[in-house]
Amino acid sequence: MENVIYMDHAATTPTDPEVIKAMEPWFAQQYGNPATLYSLGLLASQAVEEARAGVAAVLGAEDAEIYFTSGGTESNNWAIKGVADAHRNKGRHLITSTIEHHAVLEPMEYLEKRGYEVTRVPVDAHGLIDPESVRKAIRPDTILISIMHANNEVGTIEPIAEIGAIAREAGVLFHTDAVQSVGKIPVNVKELNVDMLSLSAHKFYGPKGVGAMYLSKRVRVTPLLHGGSQERRRRAGTLNVPGIVGLAKALQIAADQMEAEAARETALRDRLWRGLQERIPHIYLNGHPTKRLPNALNFRVEGIEGEAMILCLDMNRVGVSSGSACTTGSLEPSHVLLAMGIPAEHAHGSLRITLGRANTEQDIDYVIDTFPGIVARLREMSPVYNR
Ligand SMILES: *Cc1c(COP(=O)(O)O)cnc(C)c1O
């Protein structure tokens, strides 16, 4: 896929060549199982512990509070089901939001079918959660609050530190899905007042299929996977050594570049939005104007379908998405946009553009030049667009 302008970094990112280089030796040369006692295994186990220390340092955690998993989905499932099981004698009520990723919503529904109760706090028109609505939802039998740090569709950044303070005051465990925020904005588990935090390497230029969970040493959870005694007996299975080394390397690079890259992508994003707004009538921003990830731009285009825009942009070698990669292909409008009060027909006409390291000013200007023509042609064919 030469010459593609990729602008869907919320779905996944290309693996950084430096990350691939760091992973290389751990496949065919230093392939030992870190659970074994001879040198080959010890080498692997040292690499894993170095990676763990690196991740812990970036997040402001202790080494022993970092657990490696297969990705964001596993970390979220583990936090939610693990706490639900370990604390079921205290209560069976959980709190989440209406705009979570499916990897939080589905485990919550799974628990509801098994006798747990779930409260979903609403968001405002910008996708923002009011910490007071979380406070009001807490009951004596509440065992977990799970609220995402940054939304994967519109990029809105939630007031996690405030919600965390409320949770702590009430003595309720607090988990955040930080898959979209880690590597893009500062994430420190102490400053955010969280007990558990999920992250995934492929969202910050690391490999797919590897993630981590910060699990405060104060928290009791039931393992999701039972078997060997890896990860302090809390997550069985032979460790993905190359993946873990890659995750740590990718996180280090992202942390080192964060400030400069966030400023660069914000400037590109704002240039793109200004350019589109000047040339296309009746387009509206979805998401918070300022409390938003630096690379995220989601907007609705009155009168046309998101899918049509995606296909036309694809023919012009631009890769974007209409929402979550996991729901693309279904004809359901985005649950996030609906929760923000956007009518279904407008939610259908929404586009998500998420920028990344390789995007340049030329890419932005190319989209500004080509997209207005696409919109004009689609609107001419549209039965609902009112000229
Ligand atoms: C991508 C994503 C996930 C899932 O992570 P995987 O590593 O792909 O399983 C979970 N939550 C959010 C917010 C995401 O963007």
Side-chain angles (χ1 to χ4, degrees):
M1 293 294 281
E2 280 299 300
N3 294 320
V4 166
I5 299 178
Y6 183 72
M7 294 190 172
D8 196 15
H9 293 79
T12 195
T13 56
T15 311
D16 187 306
E18 285 294 311
V19 170
I20 298 174
K21 211 162 83 190
M23 292 171 70
E24 257 317 314
W26 303 98
F27 287 102
Q29 289 130 46
Q30 293 155 22
Y31 49 80
N33 184 328
T36 55
L37 288 177
Y38 42 86
S39 332
L40 207 58
L42 285 177
L43 261 176
S45 134
Q46 279 160 10
V48 167
E49 293 320 310
E50 235 174 79
R52 198 187 308 282
V55 173
V58 170
L59 298 180
E62 289 177 25
D63 299 4
E65 294 175 317
I66 302 299
Y67 294 80
F68 292 111
T69 67
S70 65
T73 299
E74 183 188 328
S75 295
N76 286 347
N77 269 266
W78 184 21
I80 294 163
K81 294 177 192 166
V83 166
D85 185 73
H87 298 266
R88 65 188 183 283
N89 290 331
K90 184 202 167 197
R92 301 193 178 187
H93 177 242
L94 301 92
I95 298 170
T96 188
S97 83
T98 49
I99 60 158
E100 298 297 312
H101 190 273
H102 285 283
V104 165
L105 293 178
E106 296 285 326
M108 290 287 180
E109 280 177 33
Y110 170 90
L111 291 175
E112 278 182 315
K113 290 192 189 112
R114 280 156 186 80
Y116 289 81
E117 276 183 80
V118 177
T119 300
R120 293 166 182 82
V121 296
V123 296
D124 70 8
H126 295 138
L128 208 58
I129 291 159
D130 178 2
E132 285 310 310
S133 67
V134 177
R135 189 199 298 278
K136 288 193 193 105
I138 296 175
R139 317 191 313 208
D141 61 341
T142 306
I143 51 174
L144 180 70
I145 298 167
S146 179
I147 304 274
M148 72 199 321
H149 190 193
N151 182 265
N152 50 299
E153 291 190 30
V154 294
T156 299
I157 300 168
E158 303 298 343
I160 293 303
E162 284 97 313
I163 297 170
I166 290 169
R168 196 146 294 170
E169 197 187 302
V172 178
L173 292 174
F174 183 36
H175 164 255
T176 190
D177 173 350
V179 171
Q180 286 294 337
S181 57
V182 168
K184 299 193 189 88
I185 57 173
V187 173
N188 179 296
V189 296
K190 298 279 167 354
E191 286 165 16
L192 291 177
N193 297 321
V194 296
D195 301 300
M196 283 169 282
L197 179 144
S198 304
L199 60 89
S200 174
H202 78 98
K203 300 291 175 77
F204 51 84
Y205 305 86
K208 293 170 182 61
V210 60
M213 170 126 97
Y214 158 73
L215 184 55
S216 155
K217 52 185 189 286
R218 299 182 300 275
V219 178
R220 263 187 320 116
V221 288
T222 305
L224 201 58
L225 302 180
H226 299 87
S229 58
Q230 291 91 354
E231 299 297 83
R232 308 157 66 86
R233 308 196 71 88
R234 288 171 128 176
R235 199 276 184 182
T238 300
L239 292 169
N240 173 1
V241 180
I244 289 165
V245 168
L247 180 152
K249 180 75 180 175
L251 186 60
Q252 192 54 59
I253 294 171
D256 292 346
Q257 302 187 352
M258 185 180 299
E259 230 181 278
E261 188 56 23
R264 196 188 73 89
E265 289 181 22
T266 302
L268 289 181
R269 178 195 73 184
D270 294 346
R271 178 189 182 93
L272 175 59
W273 183 231
R274 265 197 315 277
L276 295 180
Q277 269 187 308
E278 278 165 14
R279 288 164 182 80
I280 307 173
H282 305 121
I283 59 172
Y284 309 97
L285 184 75
N286 296 325
H288 200 282
T290 55
K291 291 172 185 160
R292 187 153 46 106
L293 289 175
N295 71 331
L297 177 62
N298 190 315
F299 56 93
R300 50 192 192 275
V301 182
E302 219 177 272
I304 42 185
E305 296 281 322
E307 278 69 23
M309 293 187 273
I310 291 169
L311 296 179
C312 290
L313 280 168
D314 187 44
M315 284 189 274
N316 286 280
R317 303 179 294 102
V318 181
V320 302
S321 143
S322 65
S324 158
C326 322
T327 36
T328 300
S330 83
L331 287 173
E332 292 288 299
S334 146
H335 69 281
V336 175
L337 299 180
L338 294 182
M340 288 161 56
I342 295 166
E345 64 270 26
H346 292 178
H348 272 302
S350 289
L351 210 61
R352 175 183 77 179
I353 295 180
T354 44
L355 303 179
R357 287 181 196 158
N359 291 137
T360 61
E361 213 166 270
Q362 287 91 291
D363 294 348
I364 298 299
D365 292 344
Y366 176 75
V367 175
I368 293 174
D369 286 339
T370 48
F371 191 55
I374 291 172
V375 170
R377 279 196 301 282
L378 289 172
R379 276 178 172 168
E380 267 171 41
M381 298 186 285
S382 166
V384 289
Y385 185 64
N386 200 339
R387 282 167 296 265

